[in-house]
Amino acid sequence: MSNYQRFLGPGLVVVAVLAVATALGAPILTYLPVAVVALACPLMMIFMMKGMHGSHGESHEPQATPKEGDGR
């Protein structure tokens, strides 16, 4: 399951709640700037770090390079 699929359900719930609150007359636009500021850091972490999953068995150690006197 990708990150986008994992957040699709909760994202649709948030959109539905906002739609219902707007239909009932709640002042959503008043609170929107506060919500955007509060969610800026977590959203940046989700979208900017999506390719960093860990090593998955790959070695991140530096490769041994031949020395000058090796004759290789």
Side-chain angles (χ1 to χ4, degrees):
M1 180 180 271
S2 71
N3 279 342
Y4 299 112
Q5 291 172 341
R6 184 173 31 173
F7 293 112
L8 182 62
L12 290 175
V13 170
V14 168
V15 169
V17 167
L18 289 174
V20 169
T22 303
L24 294 175
I28 298 298
L29 292 179
T30 304
Y31 301 112
L32 192 60
V34 175
V36 168
V37 170
L39 292 175
C41 184
L43 288 175
M44 282 194 303
M45 290 298 288
I46 290 170
F47 292 112
M48 294 176 73
M49 300 293 192
K50 69 179 180 178
M52 302 179 123
H53 297 291
S55 63
H56 296 292
E58 299 173 8
S59 176
H60 291 287
E61 297 175 7
Q63 298 286 333
T65 57
K67 296 184 174 126
E68 288 183 25
D70 256 354
R72 292 184 188 180

